[in-house]
Amino acid sequence: MSLSHRILGSLLLPLIFIPSQNALSEALGTKWPKASAIFLTGGLPVGGPASSLPGNTETWRVAATEAANRWNSKQSAFKLTTLSTLGNGVCQSFGDNNLVFSLTACGGIPFEDKVLAITASWSNDTTIIKADIIFNVDRDWGIYNDTLLYSTQDFRRVATHEFGHAMGLKHTTNNNALMFPTASDIFSPTPDDVESLESIYKEEKDSGGSITYLFLLALGIWPLRLISTHKKAD
Amino acid sequence: MFFIKKILLLASVYFYLSQSSFASSILEVDFQQAVNKAESIFEGEVVATTPEMSADGIIYTYVDFLILDVLSGDLNVGESITLRFTGGTTNGLTFSVGSTIPAIAEHGVYFIESMDRQLINPLYGWSQGHYRIQADGHIIAGDNQVVIGADKNATNTASNTKLSKGIATGIITLPQQQINNPPLAPPILLDEFKLLIKDVKTQ
């Protein structure tokens, strides 16, 4: 098969290969120990965006809190709290969890042109100990709902998405989810996002039993009592 | 059967936890852009990785590549270059910005954004400029799927809002388990991929 045939064949693929609509956001493999985190928004500027877009009457800090509340109002597996005080330790492995606008990413490295925001996280093994969300100040930011504007990034929408990463979610292939990697008219977590988050933080309860379970099996002990407990938990 | 399933599930979770991640919002680039804007493109092999932590806890991983073939730019076959990636693990602490760091012994095709400027990730568009080559010659793109083709003329029409899914617009991939199912196109091999890059470069 020639190269041109391969290319032609592969161009037909989008017509016949439809991504699963039930795909959940994947977990990053790390999670917070207490299923909660406090983020400080005092590193965001006082005030809000200058442009007059519909819904663009709020401040950056209020928008960040609303982004956190979009998650809190949809689920109870993880609690996000925002405080408008100034935190310390931005881009350091110790200190507070922060949201900031910056010209540079961690380490004073300028943002690449293509980077909107980064979630920088520190973890010990699989436990997250600290996270900062840093927005590229060089992009054109606004605050608005509904239809996505190609000229202006919606700060609140990106903040909601980045909070998803900060809690431990990866991108999803479900284009009806907030954690789908293309910004869209979706600005709040969908059932797919919620289910993914719940699966991470429900796991702790289940995996404790499962590890004990494997240990007992390895010892040749049939863990009847655990089996019945586990079935109840399921 | 239930127990076996449970064990398999745990094993797959463990395997899964060791995978790399995406945790940042990067705009999507198209294949043409990646080829033409990358300062250099080369086929290489990772011969060493060295994580270093700064005083404030930022970990950088220095990755040494042996250059096997030069597709564009000012590099020489047989020489070694070192690129710095933000993120890594040292002394039990992991720092991540969602950037995939090439692993030791990895064989791949790499699109370098800049050798001189300090960047979060020196590869153009992060994982969009990172292609791993498997032992069977298949190419794995940044979305961890097998490359089966590329549309050289694809352009990104929403370049200001479309976030990267790990691959450049125009690169067509399929999950590993689907690649040999007819009528889908077979995987593209390294030589064909390099030819595509050279074609786009000379367009």
Side-chain angles (χ1 to χ4, degrees), chain A residues 6 13 17 26-27 29 92-93 107 109 112 114 116-117 121-123 139 150 153 162 170 181 214 222 230, chain B residues 3 6-7 16 20 25 27 56-58 94-96 118 120-121 148 160-161 163 165 178 184 187 192:
Chain A
R6 280 171 189 264
L13 272 174
F17 180 69
E26 294 177 12
Q92 294 180 327
S93 59
I109 306 165
E112 287 100 323
K114 294 288 172 193
L116 289 183
S121 66
W122 286 260
S123 56
R139 306 298 308 192
Y150 287 130
Q153 297 296 335
E162 291 300 321
K170 211 171 168 180
L214 278 178
W222 202 245
H230 211 81
Chain B
F3 309 115
K6 200 84 186 175
I7 290 164
Y16 175 72
S20 59
S25 295
L27 293 170
D56 46 13
I58 297 175
T94 296
F95 174 59
S96 171
Q118 293 285 21
I120 306 168
N121 183 325
I148 58 161
N160 196 34
T161 51
L163 301 185
K165 294 190 278 290
Q178 289 183 23
L184 305 178
E192 292 169 305

Side-chain angles (χ1 to χ4, degrees), chain B residues 21-34:
Chain B
S21 55
F22 302 88
S24 293
S25 295
I26 316 297
L27 293 170
E28 192 170 280
V29 301
D30 59 53
F31 187 54
Q32 267 187 45
Q33 224 179 339

Side-chain angles (χ1 to χ4, degrees), chain B residues 132-153:
Chain B
R132 289 175 288 128
I133 302 155
Q134 293 189 147
D136 58 9
H138 296 170
I139 295 158
I140 308 296
D143 61 351
N144 287 325
Q145 300 196 24
V146 180
V147 177
I148 58 161
D151 177 2
K152 294 186 285 187
N153 300 314

Side-chain angles (χ1 to χ4, degrees), chain B residues 20-24 85-88 96-101 120-122 126-127:
Chain B
S20 59
S21 55
F22 302 88
S24 293
F85 291 76
T86 305
S96 171
V97 292
S99 186
T100 304
I101 299 167
I120 306 168
N121 183 325
W126 293 29
S127 62

